[in-house]
Amino acid sequence: MAFVDEAKFFVKGGDGGRGCVSFLREKFIPKGGPDGGDGGNGGSVYIEASHNLLSLNDFHYRAHFVAHNGIPGMGKKRHGKNGKDILVKVPLGSLVKDAKSGEILADLTAEGDSFLAARGGSGGQGNSRFATAHNRAPRRATPGYPGEERWLKLELKLLADVGLIGLPNAGKSTLLSKLSAATPRIAAYPFTTLEPQLGILRFDFRDTPCVIADIPGLIAGAHSGAGLGHKFLRHIERTRVLLHIIDASGEGDIPWQNFQTLDNELRQYKDELADRQRFIVLNKTDALESEERLVELVELFSAHGHQVMAISALEGSGLAELKETLGEIMTVGEPDSGEKLQMTFQVGKEQGLQTRRQLLSQVRRVVVKVGSAVLAAGDGLNGPVLENLARGLDYLLGAGYEVILVSSGAVAAGRRGLGLGSRQLSMKEKQAAAAFGQSTLMRAYEEIFAPLNHKVAQVLLTHNDLANRDRYLNIRNTLFTMFAWHLLPIINENDTVSVKELRFGDNDTLAAMTANLIEADLFICLTDVDGLYNINPAAGPEARLVHTVARVDDEVEAMAGHVCGSLGTGGMRSKILAARTVAAMGGSSFIGSGRMPDILPRLFAGEAVGTFFLPSTEKMHRRQHWIAYTLRPKGFLRLDEGACRAVTADGKSLLAAGIVESRGDFRAGDPVHCLDNNGEPIAAGLVNYSSRHIGKIKGCHTDQIEKILGFIDSAEVIHRDNLVLL
């Protein structure tokens, strides 16, 4: 089978299904109203790196990849099924480029690295979405959006630790066969090797093997297209060490001239290759007439500052020393296990960046939260920061993302407009300032987004709006309608009716809840610091930015501490907890500086800015997440050891027999938290009995409930369908 390292192919995301125009027509339900469902989203095309492939040969047999279309919506508010995604496998080391512009889109170097090549179109909305108080029978539905399509180009650059380069017939293939189990074609004439060959070199003194790439022979002018080697020079770019294989049997200064030819080709192709770590390997020493000739060649290369090794690949002499040298090179810079854990935290920097880029390529819906500490300046709003934010959101909207902005700053805007200065405000004064400042804030957003041709819409929420299931779903549908109308929703807490102290962390929590409300793929929190640090940045130069957090645990919370911003009391910890909330729903989060120029384009370009939080490996169902993270507990149930085990390990419902203590005043259907013997919360759920009734039946068997209460509504105090582990 031929080795193919270039391919051009077409990708297209599936079209979204059209929305349905339908009206409910059932007996005894006159004027049932619109019930047309939404169309399904079109499938997307993803490219994923796999170690099972070694070349791009498959693309010569199939060059078109089209994902499935979404199914149209149907009556009775039935949504169409989403189109099926297509996964295109490519070898490790594949470079994805736009075929037209040549722009590099992705570099897939690790197993599982993926890239969203063509996004599927969003499904259209059914007429049930457009019902209003003024138009109760809309006959309008939107068609599905077409999926993205484009031509892409793949270039394969082999991943290897060591690259063997040399002129034709220098003995590279023979050396590869001696160092590894590879079986390249070997013959006594030039250009025996017509395609790159890989081999695995194993060591006795280290567990990790070394990958060696044999690059076809280079000749003078290879960088500009002469011979065969010019096609494969790109594979040298990823090697860590280069071995120049020189035929030592040449007369006079021919070996030195051969090296200069190789060196010149590398510099002409890419100058940095000549500065990479490399060794001169004098091969075919068995053909030398005398020992003095070998000494002469070694001194010649050494005098020019090169490290030289002499071998005979055919007879095997000098190979043991070569293996030992390569093993030492591979070992240099590898920290021991203790150092590695300390350096990488939960995930290594490079691996974290690769994962970040992979997840960002799959993002379709984004919630951006900007805090008061970023927006405020003195006694008002910070104009340059607002402009920077507007440019970033314009970038996201222009790229086709669905975006919601959760904005603080109403109180700050009210301070300036009312001339309140920076003095401490009472609760009533804060609420009054927020009422005045909210209109000022929205006017500022309207003015800054108008030149960018974006319309904004204000949404004011309280926690009760999200805790009530009906209002929760209504808000969700309203936001989706705003997306369809190409509006930018700007959400803020309705401070004027808040009954609790306005806290810095409130909008962090609100933003996280909003992200889960609309099933956002990414939650972005823009604040006045660069991200999460291992210690308080103000403590000294030892503070280091944490680039990636795989999971929010006690160690991460300790890093966040309780440091507060200048305008609030939540600080970094509230942002960490918000990221944990989003992760449980399967979303990613990012914390970065809202004052950094072009922070959003830089994030989506894959730069190492801020701190990126990975999604949880076990995604919660939306209703379970609503119970666990949106609802506030109105009471607590302390369980015995057996009940704790049944709930957490066996996935059972909570029975009255396992309850030791009931705290709080709650009614049937209210949310409560279940505690273990140490008082730590282990689960959240909706109870089937009030606190008064649970106080009577706690510790009793199920068959005793009716006798004690005079009725039995349910055999379980909390059914497992309404119980979520924390």
Side-chain angles (χ1 to χ4, degrees):
M1 181 181 293
F3 178 86
V4 179
D5 64 351
E6 288 185 348
K8 184 179 179 181
F9 62 102
F10 176 79
V11 292
K12 183 184 185 305
D15 296 336
R18 66 179 181 277
C20 174
V21 175
S22 173
F23 295 90
L24 182 61
R25 295 289 185 266
E26 288 188 7
K27 192 175 182 181
F28 306 120
I29 307 180
K31 300 180 180 180
D35 68 347
D38 299 340
N41 297 327
S44 299
V45 180
Y46 293 91
I47 300 175
E48 183 178 275
S50 171
H51 70 278
N52 294 321
L53 298 175
L54 297 178
S55 83
L56 303 177
N57 188 65
D58 291 347
F59 290 89
H60 277 216
Y61 301 98
R62 182 182 178 186
H64 287 74
F65 299 89
V66 181
H68 296 264
N69 295 333
I71 303 300
M74 295 165 282
K76 298 184 179 179
K77 296 184 180 180
R78 290 175 294 173
H79 296 337
K81 185 178 180 181
N82 292 337
K84 187 177 180 181
D85 295 335
I86 286 183
L87 187 63
V88 181
K89 298 279 189 176
V90 297
L92 302 184
S94 295
L95 203 63
V96 185
K97 294 184 176 181
D98 185 278
K100 185 176 181 179
S101 66
E103 177 189 0
I104 297 177
L105 304 176
D107 190 2
L108 309 178
T109 59
E111 178 72 22
D113 281 358
S114 67
F115 167 69
L116 177 58
R119 190 190 306 272
S122 299
Q125 293 187 316
N127 65 333
S128 61
R129 296 276 194 184
F130 300 99
T132 65
H134 300 288
N135 184 10
R136 298 184 180 182
R139 297 183 177 276
R140 171 191 175 191
T142 59
Y145 291 91
E148 294 178 345
E149 61 180 72
R150 56 181 165 181
W151 282 91
L152 297 176
K153 182 180 180 182
L154 280 178
E155 290 185 3
L156 175 59
K157 297 183 179 181
L158 293 179
L159 299 173
D161 298 301
V162 178
L164 305 182
I165 58 174
L167 297 181
N169 209 31
K172 301 184 300 300
S173 299
T174 302
L175 178 58
L176 180 66
S177 67
K178 295 290 185 177
L179 295 177
S180 69
T183 56
R185 185 179 181 185
I186 300 173
Y189 52 83
F191 297 114
T192 309
T193 301
L194 299 179
E195 58 191 44
Q197 301 288 328
L198 291 178
I200 305 297
L201 170 60
R202 303 187 184 277
F203 304 96
D204 297 331
F205 52 89
R206 67 192 299 265
D207 295 331
T208 307
C210 166
V211 180
I212 303 177
D214 173 15
I215 309 301
L218 305 175
I219 64 173
H223 70 276
S224 58
L228 294 173
H230 73 283
K231 290 182 58 180
F232 305 111
L233 272 169
R234 70 169 68 95
H235 300 299
I236 304 175
E237 293 181 38
R238 298 187 189 268
T239 56
R240 180 175 170 185
V241 179
L242 296 177
L243 298 186
H244 288 260
I245 312 302
I246 304 296
D247 184 354
S249 63
E251 298 180 354
D253 61 351
I254 290 179
W256 175 251
Q257 293 177 3
N258 290 343
F259 167 74
Q260 288 183 311
T261 299
L262 288 176
D263 184 67
N264 181 63
E265 290 306 314
L266 292 182
R267 294 185 185 278
Q268 291 292 332
Y269 178 71
K270 190 167 286 188
D271 194 58
E272 64 187 48
L273 289 177
D275 298 326
R276 189 161 300 177
Q277 186 176 16
R278 51 184 178 163
F279 292 84
I280 307 299
V281 179
L282 297 175
N283 191 22
K284 301 185 181 182
T285 56
D286 58 293
L288 294 177
E289 297 179 353
S290 64
E291 188 71 24
E292 289 76 10
R293 173 58 175 167
L294 177 58
V295 172
E296 178 186 343
L297 290 174
V298 171
E299 290 178 349
L300 174 62
F301 283 94
S302 299
H304 288 82
H306 299 293
Q307 301 180 66
V308 186
M309 288 174 282
I311 67 166
S312 172
L314 183 63
E315 296 185 350
S317 63
L319 295 185
E321 292 80 1
L322 177 59
K323 283 184 178 181
E324 182 178 355
T325 300
L326 291 177
E328 292 174 353
I329 294 172
M330 295 299 108
T331 305
V332 171
E334 288 188 348
D336 58 38
S337 58
E339 291 176 331
K340 188 174 292 187
L341 180 62
Q342 183 179 4
M343 288 167 56
T344 62
F345 183 49
Q346 294 173 342
V347 60
K349 179 180 177 181
E350 291 304 321
Q351 180 187 351
L353 290 176
Q354 287 286 352
T355 305
R356 174 192 296 207
R357 292 162 186 154
Q358 175 185 346
L359 291 170
L360 287 173
S361 71
Q362 301 169 13
V363 168
R364 302 179 65 162
R365 194 172 290 154
V366 184
V367 171
V368 179
K369 185 263 177 180
V370 58
S372 298
V374 177
L375 290 176
D379 60 349
L381 298 176
N382 190 322
V385 169
L386 278 174
E387 293 176 359
N388 185 47
L389 175 65
R391 287 195 304 270
L393 294 178
D394 177 59
Y395 166 81
L396 296 182
L397 293 168
Y401 297 102
E402 294 177 340
V403 182
I404 286 180
L405 173 62
V406 177
S407 174
S408 301
V411 175
R415 281 181 179 274
R416 182 176 185 179
L418 296 172
L420 298 177
S422 58
R423 69 179 178 85
Q424 185 71 27
L425 300 180
S426 67
M427 177 63 181
K428 292 181 179 180
E429 288 177 325
K430 287 182 180 179
Q431 291 178 317
F436 180 85
Q438 196 63 245
S439 59
T440 303
L441 182 64
M442 284 305 301
R443 186 163 56 251
Y445 279 126
E446 287 179 348
E447 291 174 354
I448 206 163
F449 280 108
L452 302 174
N453 296 318
H454 297 304
K455 296 179 180 179
V456 299
Q458 183 182 36
V459 181
L460 295 177
L461 298 177
T462 66
H463 184 273
N464 286 339
D465 293 326
L466 299 181
N468 181 287
R469 190 64 179 172
D470 289 337
R471 277 186 277 172
Y472 177 93
L473 296 176
N474 286 337
I475 295 167
R476 173 182 165 88
N477 291 336
T478 300
L479 292 175
F480 286 153
T481 302
M482 291 182 181
F483 288 150
W485 290 355
H486 302 292
L487 299 176
L488 172 61
I490 300 180
I491 296 178
N492 197 356
E493 184 174 4
N494 194 350
D495 296 331
T496 304
V497 299
S498 295
V499 295
K500 292 187 176 182
E501 177 69 11
L502 303 180
R503 295 191 301 268
F504 183 82
D506 279 355
N507 272 359
D508 295 323
T509 304
L510 173 60
M513 290 181 177
T514 302
N516 296 320
L517 171 71
I518 64 168
E519 297 179 84
D521 306 297
L522 178 63
F523 163 53
I524 298 175
C525 185
L526 300 179
T527 182
D528 56 347
V529 294
D530 293 331
L532 174 66
Y533 284 82
N534 59 339
I535 60 174
N536 189 340
E542 297 81 11
R544 294 290 183 270
L545 181 67
V546 178
H547 291 281
T548 307
V549 175
R551 61 193 174 279
V552 177
D553 53 17
D554 293 341
E555 185 179 3
V556 175
E557 289 193 43
M559 290 179 183
H562 298 275
V563 179
C564 303
S566 58
L567 297 175
T569 58
M572 181 58 68
R573 189 170 187 275
S574 69
K575 294 162 179 53
I576 297 297
L577 297 180
R580 183 178 67 179
T581 299
V582 174
M585 190 67 176
S588 305
S589 298
F590 171 80
I591 298 177
S593 172
R595 297 194 179 105
M596 180 182 293
D598 299 322
I599 177 67
L600 296 180
R602 293 177 65 180
L603 167 64
F604 278 81
E607 293 188 27
V609 293
T611 302
F612 198 85
F613 295 77
L614 306 184
S616 173
T617 54
E618 297 181 1
K619 180 180 177 180
M620 274 188 183
H621 186 273
R622 186 151 45 92
R623 188 172 185 277
Q624 291 178 320
H625 194 279
W626 176 72
I627 293 173
Y629 290 99
T630 300
L631 300 182
R632 290 173 177 167
K634 296 187 176 181
F636 301 89
L637 301 177
R638 188 162 63 87
L639 313 185
D640 61 25
E641 186 176 344
C644 290
R645 184 170 56 253
V647 168
T648 59
D650 302 333
K652 301 291 186 180
S653 299
L654 176 63
L655 304 179
I659 300 176
V660 176
E661 180 186 4
S662 174
R663 306 176 195 165
D665 183 13
F666 51 85
R667 293 180 292 184
D670 282 346
V672 299
H673 279 185
C674 299
L675 311 178
D676 61 14
N677 286 328
N678 298 321
E680 294 294 327
I682 60 172
L686 305 179
V687 290
N688 294 322
Y689 294 94
S690 67
S691 56
R692 183 169 61 88
H693 290 148
I694 292 177
K696 296 179 179 180
I697 63 176
K698 64 183 180 182
C700 299
H701 290 285
T702 303
D703 56 9
Q704 296 178 297
I705 294 178
E706 187 171 9
K707 181 179 179 180
I708 296 172
L709 299 180
F711 67 93
I712 180 169
D713 283 342
S714 174
E716 307 88 0
V717 174
I718 303 179
H719 192 275
R720 63 183 180 183
D721 290 345
N722 293 325
L723 192 63
V724 184
L725 300 182
L726 297 178

